[in-house]
Amino acid sequence: MPAPQRVTTASLAATARAIAERDGIDAVTISAVAAAAGVRAPSLYKHVGHRHDLLRLIADDAARELGDDVTALVGSSADPAVVLPGIARAVRAFSARSPRAAGLLFSAPSPEAGPTPEGMAPLIASLLEAVGRATPGDPLPAARTMTAWVYGFCTMEQAGAFQLGGDVDEAFEFGLTTLVDALTGSGGARR
Amino acid sequence: MPAPQRVTTASLAATARAIAERDGIDAVTISAVAAAAGVRAPSLYKHVGHRHDLLRLIADDAARELGDDVTALVGSSADPAVVLPGIARAVRAFSARSPRAAGLLFSAPSPEAGPTPEGMAPLIASLLEAVGRATPGDPLPAARTMTAWVYGFCTMEQAGAFQLGGDVDEAFEFGLTTLVDALTGSGGARR
DNA sequence: ACCTGAACACCGTTCAAGT
DNA sequence: ACCTGAACACCGTTCAAGT
């Protein structure tokens, strides 16, 4: 009589992500996830090929969650001056509530630990859609500029790289206004 | 008779950084660095408190090197429209030739693995100096916007995150022009 | 003063054996 | 079909002992 399955890939993702957020990426070990799932370490190799696959499960879970947020925003308004800031703030909010998963999303410690292209596709599609509405020309360089800034800002903020004091919220809004004004060509007066 | 010192902290930094660039951050283990330095693992604890200190040595070495580049640029011209693009391109060049060290500089896997405030000070001072010349107001938010974008772009480029084709060099120059124009208020015509 | 071997707890991974 | 114990190679870290 076959043994009943005690763990699913989806439950593994949730378990691994919880450990990552509580104790850090380094704590996402085969042993720790197995123990949290109520199973012995070797059993995990029925679901993942190696430890970095656990991180990839977390990354893809994060990509799906953030992709849902962004897609909803893009569907909620047609005005780029509303949608672009909304997306940037959604990314930052996600990064604040799931910093470890967000880190894996954009800068995984290895290619195998990063999200799959399929997992990222909905997020990227919504992003390009939003930027395409804002700029008349090729949306790709504009989207890359926006993405690089948001990603860089959130990563540095979570890594504690902003150590010179000052108001980090203000710096975020300043950068956001600067970029959105420039990309939409609104030339709105700098506050 | 005391044993002669066979390893210095400076030589440790160089050894660790070489391993990081060749085999990745995960390969920077106490054992591997000790072996490369021609010494047994326990000896390293005369120089570092724990493994993450090895990463910190790499990060501070990178901060010093990039700081030298940027400081030289800031001293070479007074025109922000020359210096700011120069800095951005210098960061990108550094990230291209030392991607692992550059990663530690801005988003270390733990606070202990990141650069020390003292190590970052010259780089940050030169950066603020350059941005301060360009904008009339508080240079801090402007510097953070610039830094976040450059860092984000270089990290994503090195991580292979720009997978949608297109010209990555062009995207870099587009973002650079957009930001420098906005920050210097030059309002130069978009090409 | 610096280096070493030995030891400990841990981890990733494989595999034959259980049910 | 899924899970397990046992085993292997490895790693970080400590410490008493060497020179």
Side-chain angles (χ1 to χ4, degrees):
Chain A
M1 178 172 130
Q5 191 178 39
R6 253 184 286 176
V7 80
T8 67
T9 303
S11 75
L12 227 49
T15 303
R17 188 168 164 189
I19 293 174
E21 296 300 350
R22 194 184 327 107
D23 303 321
I25 294 295
D26 284 353
V28 182
T29 64
I30 294 277
S31 314
V33 174
V39 102
R40 302 291 175 166
S43 296
L44 257 57
Y45 290 89
K46 284 286 162 187
H47 300 92
V48 299
H50 39 261
R51 187 184 95 97
H52 274 185
D53 279 348
L54 288 175
L55 305 185
R56 190 203 285 277
L57 288 179
I58 300 175
D60 269 338
D61 194 54
R64 182 197 43 72
E65 185 178 322
L66 181 57
D68 287 351
D69 290 356
V70 170
T71 300
L73 276 165
V74 171
S76 71
S77 164
D79 183 357
V82 170
V83 172
L84 288 185
I87 290 176
R89 294 192 191 105
V91 172
R92 188 166 175 235
F94 179 77
S95 174
R97 72 174 186 269
S98 289
R100 321 286 192 164
L104 287 176
L105 206 50
F106 296 109
S107 67
S110 88
E112 298 96 9
T116 59
E118 304 83 57
M120 285 295 275
L123 173 57
I124 290 176
S126 291
L127 220 60
L128 279 177
E129 162 78 16
V131 174
R133 289 182 197 159
T135 74
D138 182 3
L140 196 50
R144 283 174 170 165
T145 300
M146 192 77 191
T147 305
W149 170 75
V150 176
Y151 157 63
F153 193 99
C154 294
T155 303
M156 291 181 70
E157 181 179 17
Q158 289 307 320
F162 294 142
Q163 292 183 331
L164 293 178
D167 189 329
V168 176
D169 289 338
E170 184 198 322
F172 185 81
E173 292 299 325
F174 173 86
L176 182 51
T177 302
T178 300
L179 272 171
V180 171
D181 283 359
L183 293 180
T184 59
S186 87
R190 189 77 30 72
R191 177 171 48 89
Chain B
M1 180 169 127
Q5 192 178 39
R6 252 184 289 175
V7 80
T8 65
T9 304
S11 76
L12 227 49
T15 303
R17 188 167 162 188
I19 293 173
E21 295 301 348
R22 195 185 325 108
D23 303 320
I25 294 294
D26 283 353
V28 182
T29 65
I30 293 278
S31 313
V33 174
V39 104
R40 302 290 174 165
S43 296
L44 258 56
Y45 289 90
K46 285 286 161 187
H47 300 91
V48 299
H50 39 261
R51 189 184 94 96
H52 274 185
D53 280 348
L54 288 175
L55 305 184
R56 190 203 285 277
L57 288 179
I58 300 173
D60 270 339
D61 195 54
R64 181 196 45 72
E65 185 177 324
L66 182 57
D68 286 351
D69 290 356
V70 170
T71 300
L73 276 165
V74 171
S76 72
S77 163
D79 184 358
V82 171
V83 173
L84 288 185
I87 291 176
R89 294 191 190 105
V91 172
R92 188 166 177 233
F94 178 77
S95 174
R97 72 173 185 269
S98 290
R100 320 287 190 161
L104 287 176
L105 207 50
F106 296 109
S107 66
S110 87
E112 297 97 10
T116 58
E118 304 84 58
M120 286 295 274
L123 173 57
I124 291 175
S126 291
L127 220 61
L128 282 177
E129 162 78 17
V131 175
R133 288 181 197 160
T135 75
D138 182 5
L140 197 50
R144 281 173 172 164
T145 300
M146 192 77 191
T147 305
W149 170 74
V150 177
Y151 160 64
F153 193 98
C154 294
T155 304
M156 292 180 69
E157 182 180 18
Q158 289 307 319
F162 294 141
Q163 293 182 329
L164 294 178
D167 189 328
V168 176
D169 288 337
E170 183 198 321
F172 184 82
E173 293 298 325
F174 172 86
L176 182 51
T177 302
T178 301
L179 271 172
V180 171
D181 283 359
L183 293 181
T184 60
S186 89
R190 188 79 27 75
R191 179 169 46 88

